[in-house]
Amino acid sequence: MKAKVYVNLKSGVLDPQGKAIQHSVELLGFSGISDVRQGKYFEISLDGSLDNQKARESVEKMAREVLSNPIIEDYRVEIEA
Amino acid sequence: MKFGVIVFPGSNCDHDAYHVISKHVGQPVDFIWHRDTDLSTYDAVILPGGFSYGDYLRAGALARFSPVMNSVKKFAESGRFVLGICNGFQILCEAGLLPGALIRNRDLHFICEHIHVRVETSDTPFTNELKSGTVLRIPIAHAEGNYICDDNTLAELQRENRIVFRYCEKDGTVTGAANPNGSRDNIAGICNRERNVLGLMPHPERACEDLLGSSDGRDIFRSLAATLAAAV
């Protein structure tokens, strides 16, 4: 069982790295880009001892308390069997 | 009066802080390893600058889980004094001892230079030897010093006079151009509601000797020492 956690800056929070990446890809000739936001992605392998529901609760807690800073970031959790 | 300087894996301004307390403040000071949890003999602790845990995940995010941090929380709740400098400020925000967060500098660069900050209030244990409006020349050295908070928090900080330092011009004018990193409202340092916890991005411990380009930082440590002397 695997958990995937996506952490992104909240929409109002400045992302200078995203801006720099956008600028670079535009320099390379990619067009039609209106915005780039950089985030973090975590893959957490679970040993299967928790059922789906419990695993989600546990990973949600982890995402909220450690992997993200709720002042500046949002997170999304996916559980894969 | 006894000071402690907390040492996390990756702290690198711990010796500077220790030096300033022992030499310029002239008081006893210990290094406190982050696994230690007994702060009972200290009156003030400093969370120094550096790159605790290599800034993994987010600056200050992992240091929050060091064993000593539970003790630092209780220490602060008991009314004793906590000073977080640079990475120490980031840790205090991550730990919830100060509101807001410090994110990547507006222009992405790691900035290492002397800047000016204006003392916004002398009503803290860390600035009571300074007049409000005093301009200090102190270095900054950070990549994640862009202070951010929501509108309600900013209003609260302003209303409660908890913005302690603002980035400013040499003459003390607070301008956008004097803001090195994009911090909201030019914030360089804030305190908690009880005023016994201060976090700031500039490094006053690196500005305590004329030989190093400025001795303006001394007054912050002198203020704290005066507070402690009055309390004893």
Side-chain angles (χ1 to χ4, degrees), chain B residues 145-159:
Chain B
N146 183 351
Y147 181 78
I148 187 171
C149 64
D150 62 29
D151 294 345
N152 287 340
T153 305
L154 182 64
E156 186 179 293
L157 290 172
Q158 290 167 339
R159 192 173 57 243

Side-chain angles (χ1 to χ4, degrees), chain A residues 40 65-69 71, chain B residues 57-58 64 94 100 106:
Chain A
K40 294 179 186 139
E65 294 180 5
V66 184
L67 303 180
S68 74
N69 177 339
I71 295 168
Chain B
L57 192 61
R58 297 176 304 277
R64 169 159 77 95
E94 282 282 342
R106 177 189 50 207

